[in-house]
Amino acid sequence: MPCSKRSDELVFFVNGRKVIERNADPEGTLLNFLRCHKNVCLTGTKYACGGGCGACTMMVSRHNPMSKKIRHLSITACLVPICSLYGAAVTTMEGVGSIKTRIHPVQERIAKSHGTQCGFCTPGMVMSMYTLLGNHPEPSEEQLMEALGGNLCRCTGYRPILASGRTFCMESNGCQQKGTGKCCLDHGENDLLHLAGKVSELFAKEEFQPLDPTQELIFPPELLRMAENPEKGTLTFHGERVTWISPATLKDLLVLKAKYPEAPLILGNTSLGPATKSQEHFYPVLLSPVRISELCVVSETSDGLTVGAGCSLAQVKDVLAEMVSKLPEEKTQTYLALLKHLKSLGGQQIQNMASLGVHVISRHYYSDLNPILAVGNATLNLISEEGMRQIPLNEDFLAGLASANLKPQEILASVHIPHSHKWEFVSAFRQAKCQQNGLPDVNAGMRVLFEEGTDTIADLSLAYGGVGAATISAHRSCQQLLGRSWNELMLDDACRLLQEEVSLPGSAPGGRVEFKRTLVVSFLFKFYLQVLQELKKLLKLFPVPDSRHYPEIPDRFLSALEDYPVTIPQGVQTYQSVDSHQPLQDPVGRPIMHLSGLKHATGEAIFCDDIPVVDKELVMALVTSTRAHAKIISIDSSEVLELPRVVDVITAEDIPGTNGAEDNKLLAVDEVLCIGQLICAVVAETEVQVKQAIEKVKITYEDLEPVIFSVEDAIKQNSFLCPEKKLEQGNIEEAFEKVDQIVEGEVHVGGQEHFYMETQRVLVIPKAEDKELDIYVSTQDPAHVQKTVSSTLSIPINRITFHVKRVGGGFGGKVRRPAVLGAIASVGAVKTGRPVRLVLDREDDMLITGGRHPLFGKYKVGFMNSGRIKALDIECYINGGCVLDASELVTEFLILKLENAYKIRNLRFRGCACMSNLPFNTAFRGFGFPQGVLVTESCITAVAAKCGLLPEKIREKNMYRTVDKTIYKQAFSPETLIRCWNECLDRSSFHSRRRQGEEFDKKNYWKKKGIAIIPMKFSVGFAATSYHQAAALVHIYTDGSVLVTHGGNELGQGIHTKMLQVASRELKIPMSYMHICETSTATVPNTIATAASIGSDVNGKAVQNACQILLKRLEPIMKKNPEGTWEDWIEAAFEQRISLSATGYFRGYKAFMDEKGEGDPFPYYVYRAACSEVEIDCLTGAHKKIRTDIVMDACYSLNPAIDIGQIEGAFIQGMGLYTTEELKYSPEGVLYSQGPDEYKIPTITDIPEEFNVSLLPSSQTSLTLYSSKGLGESGMFLGSSVFFAIADAVATAHRERDIAMDFIVRSPATPEWVMACADQFTEIIPRDDLKTFKPWSIPIA
């Protein structure tokens, strides 16, 4: 549609202010409008993923003229079309509260409860809680969990966020742990002695301001009037490519649908929006029925419930809950099944936006509701200009058959859901990677109707999602079972029939074929048991004459009936209190709030892409390779340059200096080595135009051989990035000859995506003279980016100034990659002479940037029957991708750290980095340790299994016990390691819980408990002295205020907060006198990457040094006037011409290693122990995390709140690595997992039900700043305690089923892996010959 046509006015309110938009773009979203519109510019709400992380959550309020109520809805602004907001009131972060005006209690509490780290997710968290309180001023804890279930956080581990929200809840006066009525803070006498000198309060909730609903923004009176007297005419908004039409009446909608039969109806945009973005669906006309109240009518009849197609899923959930509460149970079976799935279908935001009608009509193969509606005999009420008609929601409709489908001019008006009947039972089942907010692997709706008073099947319906292109109904199987009794013989036949009818080819999209086949029958078994239970109740009232045919359920099977509910996590965080003699103004050792906490919570913290648009600014987008290994024949950009407002195309030929390294080009030349490799870039005046432009770049390829994706293929092809790394001690061959037993095994560890909430982004501003550049970038290493830009542009480093205010998460992913992106953006800025902004979408970020190295490990371990290990040989291969990057260093660190906490006399560790045709992998939190030591710990469990001993006994028997030397001959004392281990055993009540778990396992066949405790010795720092140096610059101004700058970057780890704590102690003045502006290469040059857990260590030493220099200069003045104030002393110093500026410097910890691999490569070690307990469901592969206890050696924590947050966040991130985070690649090397829908990081519902963290008291070291230790990385591996607890439960199931132990370990422990414990269902499913089909995905580790 041409945009020259006049549009109607779009009227809505933002934060109480009226907005009249006369040129609303139908393709524009609310988020884009608010962040980028020149008259709005509200950047508090963040863009992170495009519809699944909750970072862009806002509140939309509407008045319902029928109920006379205002409904507040949390929504994801990146999906909401701007044109859909006519008559709505939008509330953003800026409307909730501000540091400049008034901070809202939600903002205050999340900040002071230490619920922010990087702060990028915080605005979304705040808005979700704010919306909840708008509807429920005193919510239940269940409502709080539900409200936050759609928000992701990568830093905190969620616990402090939840703690802040619980202060509003009506149950928050006590945790009522485990339903006992006791609080987890209530300790017995022995515990109080144990806790002497320790505290567990990280914040004082009595200091919080109360919530006062009368102080909130009122709903605009003008919108009330508009709702009561709605606009009668059709609203039309014309864009450059799309026209949005919003009729006021159903009649008008039907006329429009007849005129534009291909036009989709759009309500929440949760289906069409992602499809338009990822699959390039395009519709020139969009019809919006948002103003048509007839489509939202709910009516109850004698035989069922009719729900308007325009009702949101949240409204449907409320309606069904009301029906369940007032109708007899026999009538609500279908409603209960729908409610069960609605609780886990998307987050709160998606449920508020998605409509029932679109959900049904979309017929997604993974639909959670359609299988239930199908078996529940729902009917669809269709309407068009020709009139109304009904069609059944059955297998023909779900398959999209023309005879059972909507006609082009029809719309879905409502869905009729019949009541269930007496002797009728309906159930719903689903299994997904994560419990909430995840697409199901398989789901099902099941219904059976019995002849009254009998167990004879009168009607049966089974429908499955996730096992075909659409929901599949097992109609033939059901027909053959009619008239059968509900017994085991029927079940056996039903399983056989289902396997034949619900067939899934080996190459089926989504993969996990055998797992899905098993779920099909295991869900049926669960249904069988559930119905038997219900029949028991009914048959007592209506006895069956021949009751001997009615089977009893064994007691050991009863737990199979129980699903894992979402629970409210509990826990205690304990730390050493500061010395009673420490001055109150000395903040070191106290739980000080993150310096930017309140700014995070109000949206006033400025991130890279929040910087306002600069004059003449251009937007850059990248063109990437679509081939894994190919020669570039040509790059044709002629079409691109003809497009309006496209300025230029940047290729390798435009680079004036160096195009990266010989084997690692910034922009590809002649050849591409992976899908996602950068080829060129386009700069245009708007984001819309630049994204359209990159699709017009035509690249011609010629495929090359070989193409390598997996470690296995790389080994076969001898494809390696660097020479093998090796460490050896003792005589391993001789030791193997003298042991009682030898076990060999394999470990496969998948990769991991950083999934920092803020994607890679950079803003380059060229200056008018001397080739100077100002560059704002989200990076952990601005000096490296600066050097790369310098060499790329061939200009001196001193002309390039980098600014890093804060980074929205890094985890190693922003050490190296920002240099590439910064350099390309700089070339664009220099070539065009205009500022250039480059912001990666989540999909591009995941495709391009690489992540944690997948690992394949082989071990051979020799041991005595007592469990004492005498020899260990480990060979590790990591998948480095197409170029070296950090792979050689990762390999070195991996083998240096493989021994973990164990003293084994004879060792051989070897490591190789494989070259493959995948994007190169890079640094990631833990730097090889989390993958490598999983191999070591798998050896331990293998030895335990062979010896018939418990794994914890093998760990204890082989742990370092006295002062000793590592494999690389660095001396250390394991005393603190042993203390952590023993305290963790004690605090977790490990041995008693082990016994309780064994009793549970005896009584339950389909559910098993597992428990594991893992020790850890983690070496901190870089293995080079020069990488431990740091500098700081401290200025004291004449008013007494202090400006601190240093070389560290704020990534969320609280480094700026800790630096001011250090400066406050050293200068003996309050932190309120001090300020940190940013990290800049103009103030502190030649910095080292903020990584390896030592950022606070080394920069703190530099700040300390600068402050001590200043204080020494001030000493004569302070002695001369001891009663003077700080301001007096500073004024006097200025008058006496004493410099009030000082550079502090720390030369670095000594670290060295000789050619033989011996020396002291690390400054010190961090010790930890973690115990986790889980329960698994053998029928579905699901698990729940019952409890985790962590004991951490922090020595003297600079800030316990920040350090505990780092521990918890790292643990949850590690737990994700080992349980849910799975990267899937196609056989052609395409990354499938390019967003939060496919790649599942842990959510708030994944926290252990009880989560306790304790900092080990009275631990000291003279080496570090105030005896503190760097903690950022080490907690990552402790997530493996969950993995080994799951493995423990699986091993129990294997032993019970007489299955031989498999010494091939695979991580992550997904439901598919857990369900591999064989039973009668896994045995009956067909197995495919891998040679007979092309798999959907391939392993790369």
Side-chain angles (χ1 to χ4, degrees), residues 705-748:
E705 294 289 341
V707 179
I708 298 169
F709 298 125
S710 69
V711 168
E712 181 183 358
D713 288 342
I715 295 170
K716 288 178 182 175
Q717 299 274 354
N718 198 30
S719 177
F720 299 107
L721 291 164
C722 58
E724 179 187 78
K725 309 297 177 183
K726 183 178 178 181
L727 279 178
E728 192 167 357
Q729 74 174 15
N731 189 327
I732 194 162
E733 303 300 343
E734 183 179 304
F736 274 124
E737 293 175 0
K738 296 179 179 179
V739 296
D740 293 336
Q741 298 187 63
I742 293 175
V743 169
E744 296 185 53
E746 295 179 3
V747 179
H748 301 260

Side-chain angles (χ1 to χ4, degrees), residues 555-601:
D555 289 342
R556 294 183 69 212
F557 282 19
L558 289 175
S559 62
L561 299 170
E562 301 166 7
D563 291 318
Y564 292 137
V566 173
T567 55
I568 314 299
Q570 315 291 344
V572 182
Q573 303 76 44
T574 54
Y575 59 95
Q576 188 75 28
S577 57
V578 298
D579 190 285
S580 58
H581 301 295
Q582 181 172 318
L584 287 176
Q585 78 169 22
D586 182 353
V588 173
R590 302 185 194 274
I592 304 296
M593 179 180 67
H594 194 292
L595 204 60
S596 295
L598 288 173
K599 286 181 280 188
H600 291 155

Side-chain angles (χ1 to χ4, degrees), residues 14 17 54 65 166 188 223 322 339 342 413 427 451 486 504 540 628 660 828 856 897 908 943 1081 1104 1192:
V14 175
R17 294 185 177 185
R166 291 174 75 170
L223 293 185
E322 183 183 353
L339 273 173
L342 281 167
S427 291
E451 294 179 8
W486 196 258
L504 199 62
K540 286 179 181 178
F856 166 56
K897 302 183 181 193
R908 180 164 63 211
V943 170
T1081 55
Q1104 181 187 43
M1192 176 71 202

